[in-house]
Amino acid sequence: MKELVIKASLLKNNNEMAEKNRQLLGNQKVLTINLMGSPGAGKTAVLEKILKYLKNYKVAVIEGDLYTSKDGERIQGQGAEVIQINTAGACHLDAAMIDRALKELEQRQLEVLIIENVGNLVCPASFDLGEDKKIVVMSVTEGNDKPLKYPHMFQRAHMVILNKIDLIDFTDFNREEFYKDIKSLNADMAVVETSCRNEEGLQEICKYLIEEMKIKKDSI
Ligand code: MG
Ligand code: ZN
Protein backbone atom coordinates (compact mmCIF):
# COMPACT_ATOMS: atom_id res chain seq x y z
CA MET A 1 0.00 0.00 0.00
CA LYS A 2 1.27 3.43 -0.97
CA GLU A 3 0.84 6.18 1.60
CA LEU A 4 0.79 9.83 0.59
CA VAL A 5 0.67 12.85 2.90
CA ILE A 6 -0.93 15.80 1.12
CA LYS A 7 -2.07 19.18 2.46
CA ALA A 8 -5.42 20.60 1.36
CA SER A 9 -5.68 23.19 -1.40
CA LEU A 10 -8.26 25.94 -1.82
CA LEU A 11 -11.84 25.44 -2.91
CA LYS A 12 -11.55 27.98 -5.75
CA ASN A 13 -8.86 25.95 -7.51
CA ASN A 14 -10.65 22.72 -6.90
CA ASN A 15 -13.16 22.64 -9.75
CA GLU A 16 -10.51 22.97 -12.43
CA MET A 17 -8.53 20.07 -11.04
CA ALA A 18 -11.70 18.02 -10.59
CA GLU A 19 -12.51 18.48 -14.29
CA LYS A 20 -9.00 17.31 -15.16
CA ASN A 21 -9.52 14.19 -13.06
CA ARG A 22 -12.93 13.62 -14.60
CA GLN A 23 -11.48 13.81 -18.09
CA LEU A 24 -8.63 11.44 -17.33
CA LEU A 25 -10.94 8.91 -15.66
CA GLY A 26 -13.47 9.39 -18.46
CA ASN A 27 -10.87 8.64 -21.14
CA GLN A 28 -9.96 5.47 -19.29
CA LYS A 29 -13.64 4.67 -18.68
CA VAL A 30 -13.15 4.17 -14.95
CA LEU A 31 -16.36 4.45 -12.95
CA THR A 32 -15.44 6.69 -10.02
CA ILE A 33 -17.33 6.77 -6.74
CA ASN A 34 -16.96 9.34 -3.96
CA LEU A 35 -17.99 7.50 -0.79
CA MET A 36 -18.86 9.91 2.01
CA GLY A 37 -20.45 9.86 5.45
CA SER A 38 -19.85 10.73 9.08
CA PRO A 39 -17.17 8.99 11.16
CA GLY A 40 -18.40 5.59 12.29
CA ALA A 41 -21.21 5.29 9.74
CA GLY A 42 -19.53 2.18 8.36
CA LYS A 43 -17.93 3.44 5.12
CA THR A 44 -14.94 1.15 5.44
CA ALA A 45 -17.03 -1.82 6.57
CA VAL A 46 -19.36 -1.45 3.58
CA LEU A 47 -16.36 -1.08 1.27
CA GLU A 48 -14.70 -4.22 2.66
CA LYS A 49 -17.87 -6.21 1.98
CA ILE A 50 -18.42 -4.73 -1.49
CA LEU A 51 -14.89 -5.63 -2.57
CA LYS A 52 -15.62 -9.26 -1.80
CA TYR A 53 -18.43 -9.22 -4.38
CA LEU A 54 -16.34 -7.33 -6.94
CA LYS A 55 -13.50 -9.86 -7.05
CA ASN A 56 -13.93 -10.27 -10.83
CA TYR A 57 -13.49 -6.57 -11.55
CA LYS A 58 -10.44 -4.35 -11.59
CA VAL A 59 -10.97 -2.13 -8.56
CA ALA A 60 -8.78 0.43 -6.85
CA VAL A 61 -9.50 2.25 -3.62
CA ILE A 62 -8.28 5.64 -2.49
CA GLU A 63 -8.57 5.91 1.28
CA GLY A 64 -8.76 9.38 2.78
CA ASP A 65 -7.89 9.74 6.43
CA LEU A 66 -6.84 12.54 8.75
CA TYR A 67 -3.72 10.93 10.19
CA THR A 68 -3.74 7.13 10.10
CA SER A 69 -3.64 4.32 7.56
CA LYS A 70 -5.96 2.08 9.62
CA ASP A 71 -8.72 1.93 6.98
CA GLY A 72 -6.24 1.33 4.16
CA GLU A 73 -4.83 -1.59 6.10
CA ARG A 74 -8.34 -3.03 6.51
CA ILE A 75 -9.04 -2.71 2.78
CA GLN A 76 -5.75 -4.17 1.69
CA GLY A 77 -5.98 -7.86 1.05
CA GLN A 78 -9.53 -7.58 -0.32
CA GLY A 79 -8.26 -7.78 -3.91
CA ALA A 80 -8.11 -4.07 -4.68
CA GLU A 81 -5.11 -1.84 -4.99
CA VAL A 82 -5.14 0.76 -2.19
CA ILE A 83 -3.69 4.24 -2.13
CA GLN A 84 -3.83 5.83 1.30
CA ILE A 85 -4.06 9.61 1.43
CA ASN A 86 -3.21 11.16 4.74
CA THR A 87 -4.71 14.66 4.71
CA ALA A 88 -2.51 15.93 7.58
CA GLY A 89 -5.61 17.02 9.49
CA ALA A 90 -7.72 18.39 6.60
CA CYS A 91 -11.33 17.27 7.06
CA HIS A 92 -12.04 16.40 3.40
CA LEU A 93 -10.33 15.18 0.25
CA ASP A 94 -9.80 17.61 -2.62
CA ALA A 95 -9.26 17.12 -6.34
CA ALA A 96 -5.51 17.83 -6.18
CA MET A 97 -5.11 14.95 -3.70
CA ILE A 98 -6.93 12.66 -6.12
CA ASP A 99 -4.77 13.90 -9.01
CA ARG A 100 -1.70 12.94 -6.98
CA ALA A 101 -3.12 9.50 -6.13
CA LEU A 102 -4.09 8.88 -9.79
CA LYS A 103 -0.45 9.21 -10.75
CA GLU A 104 0.17 6.11 -8.62
CA LEU A 105 -2.60 4.26 -10.46
CA GLU A 106 -1.48 4.94 -14.04
CA GLN A 107 -1.65 2.04 -16.53
CA ARG A 108 -3.85 -0.08 -14.27
CA GLN A 109 -6.82 -0.42 -16.66
CA LEU A 110 -9.24 -0.06 -13.79
CA GLU A 111 -12.98 -0.58 -14.11
CA VAL A 112 -13.96 1.13 -10.88
CA LEU A 113 -12.27 3.50 -8.48
CA ILE A 114 -13.82 3.96 -5.06
CA ILE A 115 -12.69 6.95 -3.03
CA GLU A 116 -13.44 6.78 0.70
CA ASN A 117 -13.58 10.39 1.82
CA VAL A 118 -12.70 11.65 5.29
CA GLY A 119 -15.55 11.03 7.75
CA ASN A 120 -17.51 14.29 7.68
CA LEU A 121 -20.99 15.28 6.48
CA VAL A 122 -20.13 18.92 5.77
CA CYS A 123 -17.30 19.98 3.46
CA PRO A 124 -16.77 16.79 1.38
CA ALA A 125 -20.07 17.79 -0.28
CA SER A 126 -18.45 21.00 -1.59
CA PHE A 127 -15.29 19.45 -3.02
CA ASP A 128 -15.80 17.83 -6.41
CA LEU A 129 -13.12 15.17 -6.91
CA GLY A 130 -13.98 14.35 -10.53
CA GLU A 131 -16.22 11.43 -9.56
CA ASP A 132 -19.20 10.05 -11.49
CA LYS A 133 -21.35 9.27 -8.46
CA LYS A 134 -21.55 10.38 -4.87
CA ILE A 135 -22.68 7.79 -2.35
CA VAL A 136 -23.42 8.70 1.27
CA VAL A 137 -23.26 6.10 4.01
CA MET A 138 -25.24 6.84 7.15
CA SER A 139 -26.24 4.52 9.94
CA VAL A 140 -29.49 4.18 11.85
CA THR A 141 -27.60 4.87 15.10
CA GLU A 142 -26.94 8.45 13.91
CA GLY A 143 -30.67 9.26 13.92
CA ASN A 144 -33.07 9.99 11.08
CA ASP A 145 -32.56 13.78 11.29
CA LYS A 146 -29.22 13.76 9.43
CA PRO A 147 -30.54 14.46 5.89
CA LEU A 148 -32.25 17.72 6.91
CA LYS A 149 -29.32 18.75 9.11
CA TYR A 150 -26.79 18.22 6.29
CA PRO A 151 -28.89 18.96 3.19
CA HIS A 152 -26.00 19.70 0.80
CA MET A 153 -24.53 16.28 1.30
CA PHE A 154 -27.84 14.52 0.71
CA GLN A 155 -29.04 16.75 -2.14
CA ARG A 156 -25.92 15.99 -4.16
CA ALA A 157 -25.81 12.26 -3.51
CA HIS A 158 -26.89 9.68 -6.09
CA MET A 159 -27.36 6.98 -3.48
CA VAL A 160 -27.73 6.76 0.28
CA ILE A 161 -26.69 3.61 2.05
CA LEU A 162 -28.65 3.29 5.30
CA ASN A 163 -26.29 1.08 7.26
CA LYS A 164 -26.54 -0.90 10.53
CA ILE A 165 -30.16 -1.64 9.65
CA ASP A 166 -29.96 -4.74 11.88
CA LEU A 167 -29.88 -2.32 14.85
CA ILE A 168 -32.97 -0.31 13.91
CA ASP A 169 -35.20 -1.84 16.58
CA PHE A 170 -32.75 -0.71 19.27
CA THR A 171 -32.92 2.93 18.16
CA ASP A 172 -35.53 5.68 17.77
CA PHE A 173 -34.81 5.87 14.05
CA ASN A 174 -38.02 6.89 12.27
CA ARG A 175 -37.97 5.25 8.86
CA GLU A 176 -41.05 7.04 7.58
CA GLU A 177 -39.67 10.48 8.39
CA PHE A 178 -36.28 9.56 6.99
CA TYR A 179 -37.72 8.57 3.61
CA LYS A 180 -39.97 11.62 3.55
CA ASP A 181 -36.99 13.92 4.26
CA ILE A 182 -34.77 12.19 1.71
CA LYS A 183 -37.41 12.51 -1.01
CA SER A 184 -37.95 16.18 -0.16
CA LEU A 185 -34.24 16.85 -0.73
CA ASN A 186 -33.73 14.64 -3.75
CA ALA A 187 -36.71 12.94 -5.37
CA ASP A 188 -34.54 10.58 -7.45
CA MET A 189 -32.41 9.33 -4.58
CA ALA A 190 -31.74 5.62 -4.42
CA VAL A 191 -31.70 4.32 -0.85
CA VAL A 192 -30.28 0.91 0.04
CA GLU A 193 -30.68 -0.47 3.54
CA THR A 194 -27.64 -2.51 4.55
CA SER A 195 -26.09 -4.44 7.37
CA CYS A 196 -22.46 -5.50 7.27
CA ARG A 197 -23.23 -8.09 9.94
CA ASN A 198 -25.83 -10.07 8.02
CA GLU A 199 -24.81 -8.75 4.57
CA GLU A 200 -28.28 -7.39 3.84
CA GLY A 201 -28.39 -5.01 0.88
CA LEU A 202 -24.75 -5.30 -0.09
CA GLN A 203 -25.39 -7.23 -3.29
CA GLU A 204 -27.84 -4.53 -4.36
CA ILE A 205 -25.06 -1.93 -4.12
CA CYS A 206 -22.78 -4.15 -6.18
CA LYS A 207 -25.49 -4.63 -8.79
CA TYR A 208 -25.73 -0.85 -9.08
CA LEU A 209 -21.94 -0.49 -9.39
CA ILE A 210 -21.72 -3.21 -12.04
CA GLU A 211 -24.51 -1.58 -14.07
CA GLU A 212 -22.80 1.81 -13.80
CA MET A 213 -19.46 0.26 -14.84
CA LYS A 214 -21.14 -1.06 -17.95
CA ILE A 215 -22.66 2.36 -18.73
CA LYS A 216 -19.23 3.93 -18.28
CA LYS A 217 -17.56 1.35 -20.49
CA ASP A 218 -20.11 1.89 -23.25
CA SER A 219 -19.84 5.67 -23.04
CA ILE A 220 -18.14 7.53 -25.89
MG1 MG B 1 -13.34 4.57 7.27
ZN1 ZN C 1 -13.14 19.91 5.24
Side-chain angles (χ1 to χ4, degrees):
M1 181 174 71
K2 185 98 182 184
E3 204 180 338
L4 308 170
V5 179
I6 313 172
K7 292 242 166 68
S9 51
L10 294 171
L11 180 58
K12 70 178 169 67
N13 303 324
N14 190 69
N15 287 346
E16 226 171 276
M17 188 55 89
E19 264 329 299
K20 202 185 132 199
N21 292 344
R22 184 168 285 114
Q23 238 169 46
L24 180 79
L25 292 160
N27 290 340
Q28 297 172 5
K29 300 189 191 294
V30 186
L31 174 70
T32 305
I33 305 292
N34 185 357
L35 190 66
M36 298 176 283
S38 44
K43 296 182 295 302
T44 312
V46 167
L47 192 47
E48 270 180 313
K49 296 288 182 182
I50 285 176
L51 292 177
K52 251 182 28 189
Y53 292 107
L54 295 179
K55 280 263 188 312
N56 296 327
Y57 297 87
K58 289 205 85 177
V59 189
V61 173
I62 297 176
E63 271 295 334
D65 223 314
L66 296 168
Y67 302 106
T68 74
S69 56
K70 285 187 191 303
D71 287 356
E73 284 157 19
R74 279 172 65 185
I75 292 300
Q76 207 167 32
Q78 301 290 332
E81 181 155 3
V82 186
I83 306 289
Q84 176 80 51
I85 295 178
N86 182 324
T87 63
C91 50
H92 57 269
L93 293 176
D94 65 37
M97 295 175 184
I98 301 308
D99 167 65
R100 179 71 187 77
L102 290 177
K103 292 193 169 71
E104 305 293 333
L105 292 170
E106 270 171 7
Q107 316 293 339
R108 295 297 200 282
Q109 273 142 6
L110 297 173
E111 293 173 288
V112 58
L113 171 66
I114 305 177
I115 303 166
E116 183 184 335
N117 218 310
V118 179
N120 178 350
L121 283 173
V122 187
C123 39
S126 305
F127 284 82
D128 183 8
L129 304 178
E131 71 273 14
D132 296 300
K133 303 287 178 191
K134 295 179 196 290
I135 299 183
V136 181
V137 182
M138 69 164 278
S139 60
V140 294
T141 51
E142 294 170 67
N144 57 275
D145 57 352
K146 288 294 172 294
L148 291 189
K149 285 176 98 167
Y150 301 96
H152 294 300
M153 177 62 74
F154 288 88
Q155 263 158 355
R156 291 168 189 180
H158 298 90
M159 174 186 273
V160 172
I161 295 174
L162 183 59
N163 195 32
K164 306 188 192 179
I165 201 71
D166 53 307
L167 298 178
I168 196 164
D169 293 340
F170 303 101
T171 70
D172 295 327
F173 192 93
N174 186 326
R175 232 188 203 122
E176 211 172 301
E177 253 177 54
F178 169 77
Y179 279 97
K180 196 182 83 207
D181 294 346
I182 285 280
K183 295 292 167 195
S184 77
L185 290 170
N186 182 343
D188 300 322
M189 179 78 79
V191 181
V192 183
E193 299 186 356
T194 61
S195 161
C196 292
R197 300 176 82 189
N198 63 26
E199 313 236 333
E200 183 180 339
L202 296 165
Q203 267 174 304
E204 200 181 328
I205 301 169
C206 294
K207 217 179 112 204
Y208 169 80
L209 293 175
I210 290 165
E211 270 164 27
E212 291 297 331
M213 273 188 243
K214 191 171 181 317
I215 292 169
K216 187 84 184 193
K217 215 178 255 174
D218 295 344
S219 65
I220 305 158

